[in-house]
Amino acid sequence: MARQFFVGGNFKMNGNIKTIKDIVKNINAAKLDDSVEVVIAPPTLYLLLAREHLRPGLEVAAQNIFDKPNGAFTGEISVEQLKDSGITWTILGHSERRVILQEDDSFVASKTKAAIDGGISVILCCGESLEQREANKTIEVVTTQLKAVADKVKDWTKIVVAYEPIWAIGTGKVATTEQAQEVHAAIREWLKKEVSPEAAEATRILYGGSVTEKNSGELSKQPDIDGFLVGGASLKPAFVDIINCKGA
Ligand code: PGA
């Protein structure tokens, strides 16, 4: 079965009530390719606002969760709270959290397990630094990050993998189609060996890192690129063109 194309918008720590309402209004008014699964991830404070205004059929994601049930965990949000609010997805393991908040592979894996066990789908991010790429360690780094999850989570049907080379995030320096396809194919090969042939076939692998309406069309033609996780451009009206890039 063909994998459904997926476009996620990661707003990061951007936006306010007015701009998030405007972004949602723009998406709601657009004619979107209805074969594409669309998920937007505003900051936690605006999850309910986005869910309230976004048209049905489009989903909302948190940018993070905690790996424990409700309780004495100041500043965190739980899987149960997301579900209660109609939020069906979460991003996990974004490099900004791995690097700035020092989340390690095992913590990301434990949060992925909590989300999946609780019924929340996960956009699981992985990716190498420039230094690691130059040392030819890209595949090793990415598969080590994914293996930590595979050790704890056996069912990958609710996981979408996002390959996001750190050097391409927010830099305007997009990976070439060949660079992206090469890593995506390696991730799929890894899934086949370490998870299952079915998971390799069915799991969407997104590319993220300076995706725009200008480069999305070419990237989307690669056989192992099943969509995008878009940062900066998801805050702009051109996000709609990225969603529609397959038909462009
Ligand atoms: P960018 O961010 O599109 O702004 O490079 C992508 C991401 O971090 O998910």
Side-chain angles (χ1 to χ4, degrees):
M1 217 180 72
R3 294 180 290 271
Q4 187 185 15
F5 205 74
F6 183 108
V7 177
N10 176 10
F11 295 2
K12 310 192 179 185
M13 198 175 73
N14 292 301
N16 55 39
I17 292 174
K18 182 182 180 314
T19 58
I20 288 173
K21 272 191 185 165
D22 286 348
I23 292 169
V24 167
K25 206 191 266 175
N26 184 57
I27 296 172
N28 285 346
K31 182 159 174 28
L32 301 180
D33 180 340
D34 58 13
S35 69
V36 179
E37 185 167 6
V38 178
V39 177
I40 58 165
T44 311
L45 188 58
Y46 305 111
L47 285 168
L48 275 170
L49 179 80
R51 182 58 286 166
E52 197 186 322
H53 289 88
L54 192 66
R55 71 157 109 128
L58 310 182
E59 296 294 316
V60 178
Q63 296 177 12
N64 185 35
I65 58 153
F66 198 52
D67 65 342
K68 304 283 189 299
N70 302 326
F73 304 106
T74 303
E76 298 297 329
I77 57 166
S78 73
V79 169
E80 284 310 314
Q81 289 167 333
L82 287 182
K83 285 200 295 191
D84 181 46
S85 305
I87 309 305
T88 48
W89 285 84
T90 184
I91 297 174
L92 288 173
H94 192 281
S95 61
E96 284 148 18
R97 296 203 63 85
R98 291 182 189 265
V99 175
I100 306 167
L101 281 303
Q102 296 180 11
E103 293 190 358
D104 63 15
D105 291 352
S106 143
F107 188 39
V108 172
S110 163
K111 294 199 285 186
T112 306
K113 181 171 166 37
I116 299 298
D117 288 353
I120 293 275
S121 300
V122 175
I123 301 170
L124 174 63
C125 304
C126 60
E128 82 289 2
S129 65
L130 186 58
E131 202 181 16
Q132 290 164 331
R133 171 161 284 267
E134 285 172 349
N136 276 325
K137 293 217 158 90
T138 298
I139 307 298
E140 182 189 324
V141 167
V142 165
T143 54
T144 302
Q145 290 170 340
L146 296 177
K147 182 169 186 313
V149 174
D151 286 345
K152 292 196 170 108
V153 178
K154 302 300 162 204
D155 177 7
W156 281 56
T157 52
K158 290 182 141 222
I159 297 179
V160 170
V161 174
Y163 167 59
E164 302 203 301
I166 296 172
W167 47 271
I169 295 178
T171 57
K173 201 168 149 192
V174 67
T176 63
T177 48
E178 294 77 19
Q179 282 172 325
Q181 167 57 27
E182 186 192 4
V183 180
H184 283 227
I187 292 172
R188 203 171 301 289
E189 201 45 46
W190 176 88
L191 281 169
K192 192 169 165 190
K193 281 208 211 93
E194 303 293 328
V195 182
S196 68
E198 294 74 29
E201 195 51 42
T203 303
R204 272 87 56 88
I205 306 175
L206 318 180
Y207 169 78
S210 298
V211 173
T212 66
E213 74 285 8
K214 295 199 177 70
N215 54 36
S216 52
E218 213 37 52
L219 285 161
S220 74
K221 289 187 193 131
Q222 299 300 308
D224 290 296
I225 297 183
D226 307 308
F228 303 111
L229 183 56
V230 184
S234 69
L235 301 164
K236 301 181 183 155
F239 183 55
V240 163
D241 301 322
I242 301 175
I243 295 170
N244 290 336
C245 72
K246 289 292 267 185

